[in-house]
Amino acid sequence: MSYYQLNTDESVLHSNPGKASAGGLIRDNSSTWIGGFTRKIGITHSMATELWGLRDGLTLAKLLNSKKLYVETDAKAMLTLIYNPTSISSHPCSSLIYDCRHLLQLFE
């Protein structure tokens, strides 16, 4: 079965928080480039930047009609927040976390 693979990463310059941007790419199961994205975020911290990158990548994968998606990221703390079943309503990034949780459910 064919699938897409999403790779995301972030950059926060000089300090945390600092000038932030995120980006990523989507390839098919043959490693052919399908699409990419970047986002200039502004001044924020690395967790928010990682979440923006994941959210944008998942949104792009959905727009490309991906059904099965593998996600690669180096942000273990972000994944812990997304997959932890406890409430994160008081977390400063709760809206981004909820968006990522919802988008992830749209893929196999």
Side-chain angles (χ1 to χ4, degrees):
M1 176 178 204
S2 63
Y3 62 88
Y4 284 172
Q5 180 169 330
L6 167 64
N7 294 85
T8 66
D9 206 1
E10 56 85 24
S11 174
V12 178
L13 296 178
H14 305 298
S15 62
N16 197 12
K19 290 182 181 180
S21 60
L25 61 92
I26 296 177
R27 296 175 286 157
D28 67 14
N29 56 304
S30 301
S31 295
T32 302
W33 186 86
I34 302 297
F37 62 94
T38 60
R39 175 185 288 269
K40 185 177 179 181
I41 298 169
I43 305 295
T44 192
H45 54 85
S46 59
M47 179 60 71
T49 309
E50 292 282 8
L51 287 161
W52 273 111
L54 179 61
R55 181 184 176 275
D56 288 352
L58 294 171
T59 300
L60 178 59
K62 196 62 193 161
L63 289 172
L64 293 169
N65 295 315
S66 174
K67 304 287 185 238
K68 189 171 188 174
L69 183 68
Y70 290 94
V71 178
E72 279 191 2
T73 180
D74 62 357
K76 184 178 178 185
M78 175 187 66
L79 296 176
T80 300
L81 280 174
I82 290 171
Y83 287 109
N84 188 341
T86 61
S87 174
I88 45 87
S89 60
S90 63
H91 193 281
C93 297
S94 61
S95 295
L96 286 168
I97 296 166
Y98 285 128
D99 283 353
C100 291
R101 285 178 177 177
H102 169 74
L103 287 164
L104 282 166
Q105 293 176 358
L106 303 177
F107 303 97
E108 289 182 37

